Amino acid sequence: MIASLTGVVEHVSLDRAVIDVGGVGYLVHATPGTLAGLRTGERARLFTTMVVREESMTLYAFTDDDERALFETAQSVSGVGPRIALAVLAVHTPDAVRRAVHTQDVKALTRVPGIGPKVAQRILLELGGKLGAPTGDGAAGSGATAGTGGDQRGKVVEALVGLGYPAKTADDAVARVLADGGTETVADADVAATLRATLRMMGGRRG
């Protein structure tokens, strides 16, 4: 089992990256938030877990061990595989997920692409008691971070520029996503979700 990788970032795309460790390039899948923190040519350390299937072995990477643990635990829920588990972490911090389970917040989970009310209810039922109580460290993922305040749109644009998009292209794309959502600003709690929605809309185009 590969538990972590430390090496030079060789390539970053919309949903994956390649980390060069001692001349071996490891392909990892990750959330937009994790990928946005990687810079080509720079060293990075990622926590990883490998999902083995009959026809494939896929490595998933995370910024910290808490994310990795939640990713693995989420897959204990029937019907939740790596794709949905990763989508959960693209929208919510681990502590925000713990809070949703603790308060039985179906709405918070249905914000995740691919999760409808039935799957959300199953997650709340099957993860109850497995994640522990929220610690408060993930307040940013639940919209409770009053201290940061203000419009966080710049964070989304910066993340897109880090992924290789021109600044104007990134800014225009975020503006379109916000307009579609009927708002002009990004709350701190919505940075990850806005980034993911923008990446999906852009479809990999960097022109």
Side-chain angles (χ1 to χ4, degrees):
M1 176 63 70
I2 302 173
S4 66
L5 293 175
T6 300
V8 177
V9 180
E10 192 173 273
H11 175 73
V12 181
S13 62
L14 295 179
D15 62 351
R16 64 193 68 187
V18 176
I19 310 297
D20 187 322
V21 182
V24 178
Y26 290 85
L27 174 68
V28 298
H29 294 259
T31 66
T34 295
L35 294 168
L38 303 178
R39 297 290 182 272
T40 302
E42 294 186 3
R43 288 182 67 80
R45 182 169 191 258
L46 296 170
F47 292 82
T48 60
T49 186
M50 181 174 285
V51 175
V52 179
R53 296 285 186 264
E54 220 175 278
E55 70 288 350
S56 66
M57 291 188 295
T58 307
L59 203 58
Y60 293 87
F62 310 91
T63 55
D64 57 49
D65 192 50
D66 197 20
E67 285 191 344
R68 177 177 61 184
L70 192 137
F71 174 80
E72 293 173 348
T73 304
Q75 291 178 74
S76 68
V77 177
S78 56
V80 174
R83 183 183 64 82
I84 290 182
L86 199 64
V88 169
L89 288 168
V91 176
H92 295 296
T93 65
D95 205 54
V97 178
R98 284 191 285 267
R99 182 174 294 102
V101 172
H102 186 69
T103 61
Q104 295 292 289
D105 189 349
V106 172
K107 186 177 179 181
L109 292 179
T110 55
R111 288 176 57 200
V112 178
I115 294 183
K118 288 184 178 179
V119 175
Q121 289 283 8
R122 192 180 307 133
I123 290 173
L124 296 178
L125 176 65
E126 297 186 27
L127 289 188
K130 290 185 179 180
L131 300 181
T135 64
D137 295 337
S142 64
T145 323
T148 55
D151 183 11
Q152 303 300 317
R153 174 172 169 170
K155 284 186 178 180
V156 182
V157 174
E158 182 183 354
L160 291 166
V161 171
L163 286 172
Y165 293 96
K168 187 177 187 311
T169 300
D171 192 59
D172 290 345
V174 174
R176 288 198 298 275
V177 168
L178 295 179
D180 289 345
T183 183
E184 297 181 354
T185 61
V186 179
D188 196 72
D190 297 327
V191 170
T194 304
L195 174 59
R196 190 172 194 276
T198 306
L199 287 169
R200 290 181 65 189
M201 185 198 72
M202 296 172 84
R205 295 186 298 276
R206 285 177 163 75

